[in-house]
Amino acid sequence: MSTIHAAERVRSFGTSIFAEVSALATQHAAVNLGQGFPDFAGPEWLKVAAIEAIDADLNQYAPYLGLPRLREAIAATWQANGWRAVDPHHEVTITSGATEALFAATQALINPGDEVIIFEPFYDAYVPDVVMAGGVPRYVRMRPPHADGPQTWYVDPAELAAAFSPRTRLLFLNSPHNPTGKVFTRAELEQIAALCIEHEVLVIADEVYDQIIFEPCQHIPIATLPGMWERTLTINSTGKTFSLTGWKIGYVVAAPELSAALRAAHQWITFATATPLQAAVAVGLERAAGRGYYEQLRVEYVERREVLRQVLHDVGLPPLPVEGSYFMLADISQTPLGNDRDFCRWLTSEVGVAAIPLSAFYANDQDLPLLVRFCFAKKLETLRAAAGRLEVMNH
């Protein structure tokens, strides 16, 4: 059996720190602020819509492009947000979560040897997606906020410009950003767009947290900038928007030529996504604005963010600003453990609170800020339980 081994494209994918921390959290009954999903229920009215869809026998394969009603609801959402008119038939595709959308888009656009620009820290799926498509990641580091400079994470324009080469095919852009909570400004997006246009580079815009954004920040899809519609695939996740991550209903909005390329890959990856859940999400998008759902979502996340911010501040783990998403980074540079992975193992097993080391979001561990990521998509009682355990750090 020694001749049987994994293909080279996946051989470097070992067990992640995410799995390790989650296992430790279970073993030690820790309050898990590492896992990036809510521990509270999604909207009752949306779950009722799913039950009604099942009862109506919407239980067979959906069209591989997605239910027409859902694609129309997504196009209407783009129009209502003032972004642009979107053709639901040729420019919207439903996928099995944003995860499949990212994989399908990368498979559809990358040839072996093509270079892909990825900002560090990065969402963990980007690099494996590029590697499995035969692409070559090119990393550009975002810099953390500091007292004498920008108050948010930022990219050095010269470093970004230097990352482009004749082989650059694609750039991944995540805003609001996981794990930093950064929201890219219009000026930053314009810089990125100008380089992509100059070098004829496509963009995969991961915008799954577009509804979880905090004032005074504003979400601007890069696809709405001049010259970018024809070169951008915008990916979203209704699981994040409606706190129903297990439903795995994602989607891609893109110009017809890019949509056709995406669909060519998508049809052979998952083909179709759960029909009754698509129907329910269509109801969700149709009704959310009228019910004041998005405003309430942000109000509740502001409260959770502030609870966690105060908790971390009180125990000597200075929190960094959060402009969007449901993640917060904390500075551990003043703690005795000078390694973020060791700190997270200790925090989980000895204190009873799980977090994720920021180094998990980088290609290598050299010259990294000492930060760890906490998720505040949790019940207030979960955050307060974590606060009670973290108090031991003051003794």
Side-chain angles (χ1 to χ4, degrees):
M1 300 295 286
S2 61
T3 59
I4 299 176
H5 48 73
E8 203 156 311
R9 72 177 65 88
V10 300
R11 209 170 295 167
S12 63
F13 306 156
T15 301
S16 71
I17 190 67
F18 301 91
E20 181 184 346
V21 169
S22 292
L24 268 180
T26 300
Q27 179 183 345
H28 295 280
V31 178
N32 197 335
L33 302 187
Q35 291 179 315
F37 58 83
D39 70 345
F40 50 82
E44 188 65 29
W45 55 274
L46 200 46
K47 292 186 288 183
V48 168
I51 294 168
E52 290 175 347
I54 293 170
D55 287 344
D57 275 332
L58 297 177
N59 298 313
Q60 305 306 324
Y61 290 128
Y64 88 101
L65 305 180
L67 289 183
R69 180 179 177 182
L70 177 53
R71 288 184 279 131
E72 289 163 5
I74 291 164
T77 298
W78 268 62
Q79 185 90 46
N81 286 329
W83 295 337
R84 69 170 285 129
V86 172
D87 178 353
H89 306 295
H90 299 102
E91 299 179 334
V92 181
T93 307
I94 308 305
T95 59
S96 293
T99 304
E100 190 243 318
L102 290 165
F103 183 77
T106 309
Q107 291 292 321
L109 299 175
I110 295 299
N111 288 313
D114 284 346
E115 295 181 1
V116 180
I117 294 174
I118 300 174
F119 294 119
E120 290 185 305
F122 48 73
Y123 175 61
D124 60 333
Y126 300 161
V127 174
D129 286 351
V130 171
V131 169
M132 284 191 280
V136 179
R138 294 295 183 220
Y139 303 105
V140 176
R141 284 204 174 178
M142 297 166 58
R143 307 298 177 184
H146 54 89
D148 301 324
Q151 299 303 295
T152 183
W153 289 77
Y154 65 98
V155 176
D156 183 304
E159 290 182 18
L160 176 59
F164 286 81
S165 83
R167 293 204 61 83
T168 306
R169 168 69 170 168
L170 191 63
L171 179 146
F172 275 86
L173 178 68
N174 180 204
S175 182
H177 185 265
N178 172 14
T180 68
K182 174 186 173 58
V183 174
F184 282 77
T185 65
R186 181 176 292 276
E188 290 172 321
L189 295 174
E190 287 172 346
Q191 289 178 343
I192 295 168
L195 287 165
C196 289
I197 292 169
E198 177 186 350
H199 294 277
E200 298 187 351
V201 169
L202 303 175
V203 173
I204 293 180
D206 178 354
E207 301 181 1
V208 299
Y209 301 103
D210 68 339
Q211 293 296 338
I212 306 173
I213 198 161
F214 308 116
E215 293 182 348
C217 295
Q218 178 187 8
H219 176 66
I220 303 169
I222 194 170
T224 63
L225 269 58
M228 291 305 294
W229 171 248
E230 295 78 10
R231 64 178 65 255
T232 304
L233 294 94
T234 303
I235 291 174
N236 213 317
S237 165
T238 63
K240 301 293 192 300
T241 302
F242 292 114
S243 304
L244 295 163
T245 59
W247 285 18
K248 297 296 288 180
I249 307 296
Y251 60 89
V252 183
V253 177
E257 187 175 357
L258 288 176
S259 289
L262 170 89
R263 291 169 174 184
H266 162 71
Q267 67 181 329
W268 304 116
I269 298 170
T270 58
F271 179 70
T273 301
T275 303
L277 303 184
Q278 286 195 53
V281 168
V283 171
L285 291 174
E286 290 165 356
R287 298 180 183 175
R291 298 178 68 103
Y293 173 76
Y294 300 125
E295 293 83 354
Q296 186 61 31
L297 180 76
R298 285 186 282 273
V299 166
E300 292 174 358
Y301 269 117
V302 165
E303 183 178 14
R304 296 182 186 110
R305 180 190 64 171
E306 290 309 299
V307 167
L308 181 59
R309 186 195 65 77
Q310 190 64 52
V311 167
L312 295 174
H313 176 272
D314 289 347
V315 301
L317 300 176
L320 275 64
V322 178
E323 299 171 332
S325 83
Y326 46 54
F327 299 107
M328 181 176 292
L329 295 175
D331 185 345
I332 63 165
S333 61
Q334 300 306 308
T335 63
L337 290 164
N339 177 292
D340 62 350
R341 292 175 184 251
D342 290 343
F343 177 87
C344 287
R345 293 181 183 110
W346 170 81
L347 191 73
T348 305
S349 60
E350 301 300 324
V351 178
V353 176
I356 300 295
L358 187 66
S359 60
F361 302 91
Y362 286 81
N364 65 69
D365 291 351
Q366 295 180 345
D367 302 321
L368 302 186
L370 280 172
L371 301 169
V372 298
R373 190 195 76 174
F374 294 89
C375 176
F376 57 90
K378 308 297 175 185
K379 300 173 187 174
L380 291 177
E381 51 263 43
T382 302
L383 297 173
R384 290 174 181 136
R389 298 188 180 195
L390 289 167
E391 283 178 359
V392 304
M393 298 183 66
N394 286 327
H395 302 302

